[in-house]
Amino acid sequence: MTAPEPILLTRAEVEKLIGLSRSRIYSLVKLGQFPLPVKLGTGPRGAVRWHKAEILTWIESRQRADLVRPDLEPYRAA
């Protein structure tokens, strides 16, 4: 039997999932451009987690890179 998939992610798990640093994640949070963490602990060093569903939704909402190469025909999804 496999363990259930986590609903809440640690900061390290979020960093690994999205490929951004801790400082960049918190900068985006402050700008209102990234999901807010859930505070589980108390005080300034209390544990925080992110809802996995919100992170996955954020990833899906990102615009895909427009990689244009003049020597190739544009990619068209089937």
Side-chain angles (χ1 to χ4, degrees):
M1 182 174 188
T2 61
E5 198 167 320
I7 295 172
L8 295 175
L9 302 175
T10 64
R11 179 189 41 80
E13 291 169 328
V14 172
E15 286 178 24
K16 186 176 179 180
L17 184 62
I18 65 173
L20 296 178
S21 69
R22 173 187 181 272
S23 60
R24 184 65 180 141
I25 290 169
Y26 282 109
S27 292
L28 291 172
V29 167
K30 284 184 180 182
L31 293 169
Q33 297 175 0
F34 195 77
L36 292 170
V38 176
K39 188 154 180 142
L40 301 177
T42 59
R45 298 186 56 88
V48 296
R49 301 290 185 268
W50 278 263
H51 285 279
K52 184 175 185 177
E54 291 180 2
I55 300 302
L56 295 176
T57 299
W58 180 85
I59 292 169
E60 287 298 316
S61 74
R62 301 295 93 197
Q63 184 176 11
R64 299 220 182 244
D66 186 14
L67 303 177
V68 177
R69 287 191 46 193
D71 59 324
L72 297 176
E73 240 183 85
Y75 171 78
R76 288 180 179 68

